[in-house]
Amino acid sequence: MSYISGMEFHFDLDFNEIDIEDAEQYLKKTVSKYSDVIYNQKTEIFVHLEEGSLKAKILILGAIYIGIGQYGSFRSGIDYMIQDAKSLKHLVTSELIKNGINESDIIESKKAYCDPDKIRRVLLAIERLELKSKISQTEQQKEISKIRTSVSNICWSLSEEDAGMFVSSINQKYWPPNRDIPYLIDKYRLMAREEDIIRYSISSGDQPLVNKVLQLTALPRSR
């Protein structure tokens, strides 16, 4: 499973006056009520409470490939998942207030930086590099090396299915020198939309890869 979403709250409440087990179970139940519907899957909720004025870190574990299946392409799916994470935080915040937490007691609330955010950052870096018309070969290789490192780090944190889906959505020149990458590509193929193929493949002159991607089997959509 991957960290598909998360949120952090800082409450003006005394940690020692809270029943920690009850608080954790309440937060898990509240979050899962919305996250299961939003991400179209059974999600796993991890809650960590810190002492002092109460801080709660909530992470939602699930499958990116299932969430992506609701949308038209990997890139647009990642963007939607990030928007969904923001919506989830607002829904949970509203539920907390509705159930008795004073809005003034919420000192801070923010969306956590999770795997879809990391993936989007890499996709944007690839986009920016592809759009650069004047760049030296040395500088280009330096940027590609950075992207490969980021892709490698992200793949380590993803499930096998999510990693395969991620690397299959980007041009092969950005794949890290990892012997597992071809295996993941073969096992978890992704049908990219035409605009994604054009953006990441044709602009780099990788026509064989374009032909290969066009033959991939599309993931089922939920909506």
Side-chain angles (χ1 to χ4, degrees):
M1 300 180 86
S2 305
Y3 289 113
I4 58 176
S5 182
M7 62 196 80
E8 298 177 19
F9 291 99
H10 184 188
F11 301 101
D12 188 16
L13 300 171
D14 191 336
F15 180 88
N16 295 318
E17 295 179 359
I18 301 296
D19 186 311
I20 302 305
E21 186 174 343
D22 285 350
E24 289 182 348
Q25 289 304 314
Y26 166 71
L27 288 171
K28 287 180 181 180
K29 183 178 179 181
T30 301
V31 174
S32 64
K33 180 173 75 171
Y34 295 111
S35 62
D36 288 359
V37 174
I38 287 175
Y39 296 113
N40 197 36
Q41 59 186 290
K42 181 63 179 175
T43 55
E44 184 177 337
I45 313 300
F46 173 79
V47 178
H48 174 67
L49 302 179
E50 293 184 11
E51 296 188 35
S53 58
L54 186 65
K55 290 184 179 180
K57 184 171 185 179
I58 303 168
L59 293 174
I60 297 96
L61 286 81
I64 291 176
Y65 76 96
I66 293 178
I68 293 293
Q70 303 178 76
Y71 307 109
S73 73
F74 184 81
R75 173 55 193 272
S76 65
I78 287 295
D79 289 341
Y80 278 120
M81 287 190 79
I82 292 172
Q83 289 299 319
D84 285 344
K86 295 177 181 177
S87 298
L88 178 60
K89 183 185 75 70
H90 289 307
L91 287 168
V92 171
T93 302
S94 297
E95 183 83 359
L96 293 175
I97 294 171
K98 185 178 73 174
N99 289 343
I101 296 290
N102 292 323
E103 190 169 359
S104 60
D105 286 336
I106 303 177
I107 299 172
E108 181 183 26
S109 66
K110 61 182 180 180
K111 185 180 78 67
Y113 188 76
C114 292
D115 291 327
D117 302 279
K118 296 175 184 177
I119 291 172
R120 183 174 183 271
R121 186 173 182 177
V122 167
L123 296 179
L124 288 173
I126 291 174
E127 253 186 35
R128 286 193 294 267
L129 181 58
E130 297 287 351
L131 290 173
K132 286 183 179 179
S133 57
K134 296 181 180 179
I135 183 173
S136 68
Q137 187 69 21
T138 300
E139 187 63 25
Q140 184 182 56
Q141 288 305 311
K142 184 178 178 181
E143 292 298 317
I144 290 175
S145 179
K146 287 181 181 178
I147 292 171
R148 285 174 176 168
T149 298
S150 296
V151 171
S152 179
N153 291 338
I154 291 171
C155 285
W156 272 108
S157 68
L158 298 178
S159 67
E160 206 175 68
E161 295 92 339
D162 290 343
M165 192 176 192
F166 171 39
V167 293
S168 70
S169 72
I170 60 178
N171 191 289
Q172 187 171 353
K173 70 180 179 181
Y174 300 112
W175 297 353
N178 183 328
R179 64 182 181 182
D180 291 333
I181 294 298
Y183 161 77
L184 294 175
I185 289 292
D186 288 338
K187 191 172 182 181
Y188 305 104
R189 296 176 184 272
L190 168 71
M191 171 66 87
R193 290 193 311 183
E194 185 177 354
E195 59 263 38
D196 293 331
I197 297 168
I198 292 172
R199 179 180 296 149
Y200 298 124
S201 300
I202 294 178
S203 61
S204 304
D206 198 350
Q207 192 61 42
L209 182 61
V210 175
N211 293 335
K212 183 178 180 181
V213 174
L214 284 169
Q215 296 171 358
L216 303 184
T217 302
L219 290 172
R221 299 183 191 176
S222 303
R223 69 183 183 191

